[in-house]
Amino acid sequence: DIQTILKPIADEFFQKDEGMRLEALSLKLMDLIVLNRQEFALQEMPAEELLSDISEGLSVLCLEKGIHLYVDAEPEYLHADYDLFKTMVINIVDNSIKAGADRIVLSGKREERGYRICIEDNGKGIPKEEISRITEAFYMVDKSRSRKQHGAGLGLALAEKIAEIHGCRLEFASEEQKGTIVSFCLPERWKEEV
């Protein structure tokens, strides 16, 4: 049967492709963290495709943990570095998972200032007094939970740095025991270029 023949080839291709992506990402992260380089080539890409790719990459993990992950993105072209952008969103979603969310929505919509991406969850939320510190390196809201889940307190610090590269900042809205919304607004670079 054709599927039996093609599956090993597809698996090998995926592993090579994923390996190359991870190698490229590790070099970018080294630039980002070690060299503190701020100049990355942003490429134009469709928002809905970008968010769908991220959702597909997280689908196995979400299925294992019983999490419903939804994507709702208005069509638009964004300027982004694919690997860094993906890392930023995955780090934010990872925090949602660690906060006990069983429903996460990735959404994107046009607004006056640009294109806003939101990651909304129904996890345990963040206490108000902690919100101003959560993007500090090594800062953890729930230290015991983070240790159990092998957290180091770097995910949101890295995500904030990646957001800056994309010309925006992470914004947080949270209510304890109800959930958190992390959003950022990518500027409309194409209007600036005209």
Side-chain angles (χ1 to χ4, degrees), residues 51 54-55 57-59 61-62 65 67-71 85-107 117-123 145 149 155-156 159 170 172 180 182 184:
L51 291 179
I54 293 167
S55 173
L58 290 165
S59 62
L61 176 66
C62 288
K65 297 191 174 281
I67 297 165
H68 300 283
L69 181 63
Y70 303 95
V71 175
F85 187 92
K86 187 172 181 178
T87 298
M88 173 174 58
V89 174
I90 287 173
N91 279 340
I92 296 167
V93 169
D94 184 53
N95 275 2
S96 294
I97 293 169
K98 287 176 179 170
D102 63 9
R103 182 176 190 277
I104 302 169
V105 179
L106 300 178
S107 64
I117 307 271
C118 293
I119 299 97
E120 182 174 357
D121 70 51
N122 66 347
R145 186 190 79 210
Q149 296 171 335
L156 288 178
L170 299 181
F172 298 87
T180 302
V182 181
F184 51 93

Short mmCIF file of all heavy atoms in Angstrom, two decimals, residues 51 54-55 57-59 61-62 65 67-71 85-107 117-123 145 149 155-156 159 170 172 180 182 184:
data_model
loop_
_atom_site.label_atom_id
_atom_site.label_comp_id
_atom_site.label_asym_id
_atom_site.label_seq_id
_atom_site.Cartn_x
_atom_site.Cartn_y
_atom_site.Cartn_z
N LEU A 51 -0.34 31.44 12.07
CA LEU A 51 -1.00 30.95 13.30
C LEU A 51 -1.45 29.50 13.15
O LEU A 51 -1.37 28.72 14.10
CB LEU A 51 -2.16 31.85 13.68
CG LEU A 51 -1.77 33.25 14.16
CD1 LEU A 51 -3.00 34.07 14.50
CD2 LEU A 51 -0.83 33.20 15.34
N ILE A 54 1.57 27.25 13.69
CA ILE A 54 1.88 27.15 15.12
C ILE A 54 0.90 26.19 15.79
O ILE A 54 1.30 25.32 16.58
CB ILE A 54 1.86 28.54 15.78
CG1 ILE A 54 3.02 29.39 15.23
CG2 ILE A 54 1.93 28.43 17.30
CD1 ILE A 54 2.93 30.87 15.57
N SER A 55 -0.38 26.32 15.47
CA SER A 55 -1.41 25.46 16.05
C SER A 55 -1.16 23.99 15.70
O SER A 55 -1.25 23.11 16.55
CB SER A 55 -2.78 25.90 15.54
OG SER A 55 -3.77 25.00 15.93
N GLY A 57 1.70 22.63 14.99
CA GLY A 57 2.88 22.19 15.72
C GLY A 57 2.57 21.85 17.17
O GLY A 57 3.26 21.03 17.78
N LEU A 58 1.55 22.47 17.74
CA LEU A 58 1.18 22.23 19.13
C LEU A 58 0.08 21.18 19.28
O LEU A 58 -0.26 20.81 20.40
CB LEU A 58 0.69 23.54 19.75
CG LEU A 58 1.74 24.61 19.99
CD1 LEU A 58 1.08 25.96 20.26
CD2 LEU A 58 2.65 24.22 21.14
N SER A 59 -0.47 20.70 18.17
CA SER A 59 -1.66 19.84 18.23
C SER A 59 -1.45 18.55 19.01
O SER A 59 -2.30 18.13 19.78
CB SER A 59 -2.20 19.55 16.83
OG SER A 59 -1.22 18.85 16.08
N LEU A 61 0.77 17.89 21.47
CA LEU A 61 0.88 18.22 22.89
C LEU A 61 -0.50 18.54 23.49
O LEU A 61 -0.85 18.06 24.56
CB LEU A 61 1.82 19.41 23.09
CG LEU A 61 1.96 19.93 24.51
CD1 LEU A 61 2.62 18.90 25.41
CD2 LEU A 61 2.76 21.23 24.52
N CYS A 62 -1.26 19.35 22.77
CA CYS A 62 -2.60 19.73 23.26
C CYS A 62 -3.52 18.52 23.35
O CYS A 62 -4.28 18.38 24.30
CB CYS A 62 -3.20 20.81 22.37
SG CYS A 62 -2.39 22.42 22.57
N LYS A 65 -2.71 16.50 26.42
CA LYS A 65 -3.10 17.15 27.67
C LYS A 65 -4.58 17.50 27.73
O LYS A 65 -5.03 18.12 28.69
CB LYS A 65 -2.24 18.39 27.89
CG LYS A 65 -0.76 18.04 28.05
CD LYS A 65 0.03 19.22 28.53
CE LYS A 65 1.46 18.86 28.83
NZ LYS A 65 1.64 18.20 30.09
N ILE A 67 -6.25 19.64 25.83
CA ILE A 67 -6.44 21.09 25.66
C ILE A 67 -7.04 21.36 24.29
O ILE A 67 -6.58 20.82 23.28
CB ILE A 67 -5.09 21.83 25.81
CG1 ILE A 67 -4.54 21.63 27.21
CG2 ILE A 67 -5.23 23.31 25.48
CD1 ILE A 67 -3.09 21.99 27.37
N HIS A 68 -8.05 22.20 24.25
CA HIS A 68 -8.66 22.61 22.98
C HIS A 68 -7.97 23.89 22.54
O HIS A 68 -8.00 24.90 23.25
CB HIS A 68 -10.16 22.84 23.14
CG HIS A 68 -10.89 21.61 23.58
ND1 HIS A 68 -11.18 20.57 22.73
CD2 HIS A 68 -11.34 21.24 24.81
CE1 HIS A 68 -11.80 19.61 23.40
NE2 HIS A 68 -11.91 19.99 24.67
N LEU A 69 -7.34 23.84 21.37
CA LEU A 69 -6.61 24.98 20.83
C LEU A 69 -7.33 25.45 19.57
O LEU A 69 -7.53 24.66 18.64
CB LEU A 69 -5.17 24.58 20.52
CG LEU A 69 -4.24 25.65 19.96
CD1 LEU A 69 -4.05 26.80 20.94
CD2 LEU A 69 -2.89 25.04 19.60
N TYR A 70 -7.73 26.71 19.56
CA TYR A 70 -8.48 27.26 18.44
C TYR A 70 -7.68 28.39 17.78
O TYR A 70 -6.96 29.12 18.46
CB TYR A 70 -9.82 27.84 18.92
CG TYR A 70 -10.67 26.84 19.65
CD1 TYR A 70 -10.65 26.77 21.04
CD2 TYR A 70 -11.49 25.95 18.95
CE1 TYR A 70 -11.43 25.85 21.72
CE2 TYR A 70 -12.28 25.03 19.63
CZ TYR A 70 -12.24 24.98 21.01
OH TYR A 70 -13.00 24.07 21.69
N VAL A 71 -7.86 28.55 16.47
CA VAL A 71 -7.24 29.65 15.73
C VAL A 71 -8.34 30.43 15.04
O VAL A 71 -9.22 29.85 14.41
CB VAL A 71 -6.23 29.13 14.68
CG1 VAL A 71 -5.69 30.28 13.85
CG2 VAL A 71 -5.09 28.39 15.34
N PHE A 85 9.08 34.25 15.67
CA PHE A 85 7.66 34.48 15.94
C PHE A 85 7.02 33.22 16.53
O PHE A 85 6.29 33.27 17.52
CB PHE A 85 6.94 34.89 14.64
CG PHE A 85 5.53 35.32 14.85
CD1 PHE A 85 5.22 36.65 15.07
CD2 PHE A 85 4.49 34.40 14.83
CE1 PHE A 85 3.90 37.05 15.27
CE2 PHE A 85 3.17 34.79 15.04
CZ PHE A 85 2.89 36.11 15.26
N LYS A 86 7.34 32.09 15.91
CA LYS A 86 6.80 30.80 16.38
C LYS A 86 7.26 30.54 17.81
O LYS A 86 6.47 30.12 18.67
CB LYS A 86 7.26 29.69 15.43
CG LYS A 86 6.65 28.34 15.72
CD LYS A 86 7.01 27.34 14.63
CE LYS A 86 6.37 26.00 14.91
NZ LYS A 86 6.65 25.02 13.86
N THR A 87 8.54 30.79 18.09
CA THR A 87 9.07 30.60 19.44
C THR A 87 8.34 31.47 20.45
O THR A 87 7.99 31.01 21.55
CB THR A 87 10.59 30.92 19.47
OG1 THR A 87 11.25 30.00 18.60
CG2 THR A 87 11.16 30.79 20.87
N MET A 88 8.09 32.73 20.08
CA MET A 88 7.39 33.65 20.98
C MET A 88 6.00 33.12 21.33
O MET A 88 5.64 33.03 22.50
CB MET A 88 7.29 35.04 20.33
CG MET A 88 6.44 36.03 21.11
SD MET A 88 6.46 37.71 20.42
CE MET A 88 5.85 37.48 18.75
N VAL A 89 5.23 32.75 20.32
CA VAL A 89 3.86 32.29 20.56
C VAL A 89 3.86 30.97 21.33
O VAL A 89 3.07 30.79 22.27
CB VAL A 89 3.06 32.19 19.24
CG1 VAL A 89 1.69 31.58 19.48
CG2 VAL A 89 2.93 33.58 18.59
N ILE A 90 4.78 30.05 20.99
CA ILE A 90 4.85 28.77 21.70
C ILE A 90 5.19 28.99 23.17
O ILE A 90 4.62 28.34 24.06
CB ILE A 90 5.84 27.81 21.02
CG1 ILE A 90 5.21 27.30 19.71
CG2 ILE A 90 6.21 26.65 21.93
CD1 ILE A 90 6.13 26.47 18.84
N ASN A 91 6.09 29.93 23.47
CA ASN A 91 6.43 30.22 24.87
C ASN A 91 5.21 30.74 25.64
O ASN A 91 4.99 30.38 26.80
CB ASN A 91 7.57 31.23 24.97
CG ASN A 91 8.92 30.60 24.77
OD1 ASN A 91 9.09 29.40 24.92
ND2 ASN A 91 9.90 31.40 24.41
N ILE A 92 4.41 31.57 24.99
CA ILE A 92 3.21 32.11 25.64
C ILE A 92 2.19 30.99 25.85
O ILE A 92 1.60 30.86 26.93
CB ILE A 92 2.63 33.28 24.82
CG1 ILE A 92 3.62 34.45 24.78
CG2 ILE A 92 1.29 33.73 25.40
CD1 ILE A 92 3.29 35.53 23.77
N VAL A 93 1.99 30.15 24.82
CA VAL A 93 1.05 29.03 24.94
C VAL A 93 1.53 28.06 26.02
O VAL A 93 0.73 27.54 26.81
CB VAL A 93 0.87 28.31 23.58
CG1 VAL A 93 0.12 26.99 23.75
CG2 VAL A 93 0.14 29.22 22.59
N ASP A 94 2.84 27.83 26.10
CA ASP A 94 3.40 26.95 27.13
C ASP A 94 3.03 27.46 28.53
O ASP A 94 2.69 26.67 29.41
CB ASP A 94 4.92 26.86 26.96
CG ASP A 94 5.54 25.88 27.93
OD1 ASP A 94 5.09 24.71 27.97
OD2 ASP A 94 6.47 26.26 28.66
N ASN A 95 3.07 28.77 28.72
CA ASN A 95 2.65 29.33 30.02
C ASN A 95 1.18 29.07 30.28
O ASN A 95 0.79 28.80 31.41
CB ASN A 95 2.93 30.84 30.06
CG ASN A 95 4.34 31.13 30.49
OD1 ASN A 95 5.14 30.23 30.72
ND2 ASN A 95 4.66 32.39 30.61
N SER A 96 0.36 29.16 29.24
CA SER A 96 -1.07 28.86 29.39
C SER A 96 -1.27 27.42 29.83
O SER A 96 -2.09 27.12 30.71
CB SER A 96 -1.82 29.09 28.07
OG SER A 96 -1.80 30.46 27.72
N ILE A 97 -0.52 26.51 29.22
CA ILE A 97 -0.62 25.09 29.56
C ILE A 97 -0.19 24.88 31.02
O ILE A 97 -0.86 24.20 31.78
CB ILE A 97 0.22 24.24 28.59
CG1 ILE A 97 -0.40 24.29 27.18
CG2 ILE A 97 0.34 22.80 29.08
CD1 ILE A 97 0.47 23.71 26.08
N LYS A 98 0.93 25.51 31.40
CA LYS A 98 1.43 25.37 32.78
C LYS A 98 0.46 25.97 33.79
O LYS A 98 0.46 25.58 34.96
CB LYS A 98 2.81 26.02 32.91
CG LYS A 98 3.90 25.21 32.23
CD LYS A 98 5.23 25.93 32.28
CE LYS A 98 6.30 25.10 31.61
NZ LYS A 98 7.56 25.83 31.43
N ALA A 99 -0.36 26.93 33.35
CA ALA A 99 -1.34 27.56 34.25
C ALA A 99 -2.63 26.75 34.34
O ALA A 99 -3.62 27.19 34.92
CB ALA A 99 -1.65 28.98 33.79
N GLY A 100 -2.65 25.55 33.72
CA GLY A 100 -3.81 24.66 33.84
C GLY A 100 -4.94 24.94 32.87
O GLY A 100 -6.06 24.45 33.06
N ALA A 101 -4.67 25.68 31.80
CA ALA A 101 -5.73 25.97 30.82
C ALA A 101 -6.13 24.70 30.08
O ALA A 101 -5.29 23.85 29.80
CB ALA A 101 -5.25 27.02 29.82
N ASP A 102 -7.41 24.58 29.77
CA ASP A 102 -7.84 23.49 28.89
C ASP A 102 -8.48 24.05 27.61
O ASP A 102 -8.96 23.31 26.77
CB ASP A 102 -8.78 22.51 29.61
CG ASP A 102 -10.09 23.15 30.07
OD1 ASP A 102 -10.36 24.31 29.70
OD2 ASP A 102 -10.83 22.47 30.80
N ARG A 103 -8.43 25.38 27.49
CA ARG A 103 -8.93 26.04 26.28
C ARG A 103 -8.02 27.24 25.99
O ARG A 103 -7.82 28.10 26.84
CB ARG A 103 -10.36 26.53 26.50
CG ARG A 103 -10.97 27.18 25.29
CD ARG A 103 -12.44 27.55 25.56
NE ARG A 103 -13.11 27.95 24.35
CZ ARG A 103 -13.05 29.17 23.84
NH1 ARG A 103 -12.36 30.12 24.44
NH2 ARG A 103 -13.70 29.47 22.73
N ILE A 104 -7.45 27.26 24.78
CA ILE A 104 -6.56 28.34 24.37
C ILE A 104 -7.00 28.80 22.99
O ILE A 104 -7.25 27.98 22.11
CB ILE A 104 -5.09 27.88 24.34
CG1 ILE A 104 -4.65 27.36 25.71
CG2 ILE A 104 -4.17 29.02 23.88
CD1 ILE A 104 -3.32 26.65 25.73
N VAL A 105 -7.10 30.11 22.81
CA VAL A 105 -7.50 30.68 21.52
C VAL A 105 -6.37 31.57 21.01
O VAL A 105 -5.94 32.49 21.71
CB VAL A 105 -8.80 31.50 21.64
CG1 VAL A 105 -9.18 32.10 20.29
CG2 VAL A 105 -9.94 30.65 22.19
N LEU A 106 -5.90 31.29 19.80
CA LEU A 106 -4.95 32.16 19.10
C LEU A 106 -5.77 32.97 18.11
O LEU A 106 -6.41 32.40 17.23
CB LEU A 106 -3.92 31.35 18.32
CG LEU A 106 -3.02 30.39 19.06
CD1 LEU A 106 -2.11 29.64 18.08
CD2 LEU A 106 -2.18 31.12 20.07
N SER A 107 -5.78 34.27 18.26
CA SER A 107 -6.57 35.08 17.34
C SER A 107 -5.74 36.22 16.78
O SER A 107 -4.75 36.64 17.38
CB SER A 107 -7.83 35.62 18.03
OG SER A 107 -7.48 36.49 19.08
N ILE A 117 -2.34 40.22 17.68
CA ILE A 117 -2.39 38.78 17.96
C ILE A 117 -2.70 38.62 19.44
O ILE A 117 -2.09 39.29 20.28
CB ILE A 117 -1.02 38.11 17.67
CG1 ILE A 117 -0.53 38.42 16.26
CG2 ILE A 117 -1.07 36.62 17.99
CD1 ILE A 117 -0.95 37.51 15.19
N CYS A 118 -3.66 37.76 19.76
CA CYS A 118 -4.02 37.49 21.16
C CYS A 118 -3.91 35.99 21.42
O CYS A 118 -4.31 35.19 20.58
CB CYS A 118 -5.45 37.91 21.46
SG CYS A 118 -5.73 39.67 21.38
N ILE A 119 -3.36 35.67 22.58
CA ILE A 119 -3.34 34.29 23.06
C ILE A 119 -4.15 34.32 24.36
O ILE A 119 -3.73 34.91 25.35
CB ILE A 119 -1.91 33.77 23.31
CG1 ILE A 119 -1.08 33.80 22.00
CG2 ILE A 119 -1.95 32.34 23.85
CD1 ILE A 119 -0.22 34.98 21.84
N GLU A 120 -5.33 33.73 24.30
CA GLU A 120 -6.26 33.80 25.44
C GLU A 120 -6.45 32.40 26.01
O GLU A 120 -6.66 31.44 25.28
CB GLU A 120 -7.60 34.36 24.97
CG GLU A 120 -8.61 34.51 26.07
CD GLU A 120 -9.89 35.20 25.60
OE1 GLU A 120 -9.97 35.60 24.42
OE2 GLU A 120 -10.81 35.32 26.42
N ASP A 121 -6.38 32.30 27.36
CA ASP A 121 -6.56 30.99 27.99
C ASP A 121 -7.54 31.09 29.15
O ASP A 121 -7.90 32.18 29.58
CB ASP A 121 -5.21 30.41 28.45
CG ASP A 121 -4.61 31.15 29.65
OD1 ASP A 121 -5.30 31.36 30.67
OD2 ASP A 121 -3.42 31.52 29.57
N ASN A 122 -7.95 29.93 29.65
CA ASN A 122 -8.83 29.87 30.82
C ASN A 122 -8.10 29.24 32.00
O ASN A 122 -8.69 28.53 32.80
CB ASN A 122 -10.13 29.11 30.50
CG ASN A 122 -9.88 27.65 30.20
OD1 ASN A 122 -8.74 27.22 29.99
ND2 ASN A 122 -10.94 26.86 30.16
N GLY A 123 -6.80 29.50 32.10
CA GLY A 123 -5.98 28.96 33.19
C GLY A 123 -6.20 29.71 34.49
O GLY A 123 -7.16 30.46 34.65
N ARG A 145 5.33 25.16 41.08
CA ARG A 145 4.79 24.59 39.85
C ARG A 145 5.84 24.63 38.74
O ARG A 145 6.01 23.68 37.99
CB ARG A 145 3.54 25.36 39.40
CG ARG A 145 2.84 24.72 38.20
CD ARG A 145 1.77 25.61 37.64
NE ARG A 145 2.39 26.63 36.82
CZ ARG A 145 1.92 27.85 36.65
NH1 ARG A 145 0.83 28.24 37.23
NH2 ARG A 145 2.55 28.71 35.88
N GLN A 149 7.52 21.52 36.55
CA GLN A 149 7.37 21.49 35.09
C GLN A 149 8.65 21.92 34.39
O GLN A 149 8.64 22.24 33.21
CB GLN A 149 6.19 22.38 34.69
CG GLN A 149 4.89 21.85 35.24
CD GLN A 149 3.73 22.82 35.06
OE1 GLN A 149 3.92 24.02 34.94
NE2 GLN A 149 2.54 22.29 35.03
N GLY A 155 10.88 31.93 29.56
CA GLY A 155 9.95 31.92 28.42
C GLY A 155 9.39 33.29 28.06
O GLY A 155 9.46 33.71 26.91
N LEU A 156 8.84 34.00 29.04
CA LEU A 156 8.25 35.31 28.75
C LEU A 156 9.31 36.39 28.56
O LEU A 156 9.09 37.35 27.82
CB LEU A 156 7.25 35.71 29.83
CG LEU A 156 5.94 34.92 29.82
CD1 LEU A 156 5.04 35.36 30.96
CD2 LEU A 156 5.22 35.04 28.49
N ALA A 159 10.18 35.86 25.03
CA ALA A 159 9.05 36.29 24.20
C ALA A 159 9.01 37.82 24.10
O ALA A 159 8.76 38.38 23.03
CB ALA A 159 7.74 35.75 24.77
N LEU A 170 4.67 42.93 24.61
CA LEU A 170 3.63 42.04 25.12
C LEU A 170 2.75 42.82 26.09
O LEU A 170 3.24 43.59 26.91
CB LEU A 170 4.26 40.84 25.86
CG LEU A 170 5.16 39.92 25.05
CD1 LEU A 170 5.68 38.78 25.94
CD2 LEU A 170 4.44 39.35 23.84
N PHE A 172 -0.52 42.29 28.89
CA PHE A 172 -1.15 41.24 29.68
C PHE A 172 -2.43 41.75 30.33
O PHE A 172 -2.46 42.83 30.89
CB PHE A 172 -0.20 40.78 30.79
CG PHE A 172 1.08 40.18 30.27
CD1 PHE A 172 2.17 40.99 29.99
CD2 PHE A 172 1.18 38.82 30.04
CE1 PHE A 172 3.35 40.45 29.50
CE2 PHE A 172 2.35 38.27 29.55
CZ PHE A 172 3.44 39.09 29.28
N THR A 180 -6.01 34.35 31.32
CA THR A 180 -5.08 35.40 30.91
C THR A 180 -5.18 35.64 29.42
O THR A 180 -5.38 34.70 28.65
CB THR A 180 -3.63 34.99 31.28
OG1 THR A 180 -3.57 34.76 32.68
CG2 THR A 180 -2.61 36.04 30.88
N VAL A 182 -2.70 37.38 26.59
CA VAL A 182 -1.44 38.01 26.24
C VAL A 182 -1.61 38.46 24.79
O VAL A 182 -2.03 37.68 23.93
CB VAL A 182 -0.25 37.03 26.35
CG1 VAL A 182 1.05 37.75 25.99
CG2 VAL A 182 -0.17 36.43 27.73
N PHE A 184 -0.16 41.30 21.49
CA PHE A 184 0.83 42.23 20.95
C PHE A 184 0.33 42.71 19.60
O PHE A 184 -0.38 41.99 18.90
CB PHE A 184 2.22 41.59 20.86
CG PHE A 184 2.25 40.26 20.15
CD1 PHE A 184 2.50 40.18 18.79
CD2 PHE A 184 2.02 39.09 20.85
CE1 PHE A 184 2.53 38.96 18.15
CE2 PHE A 184 2.04 37.85 20.22
CZ PHE A 184 2.29 37.79 18.86
#
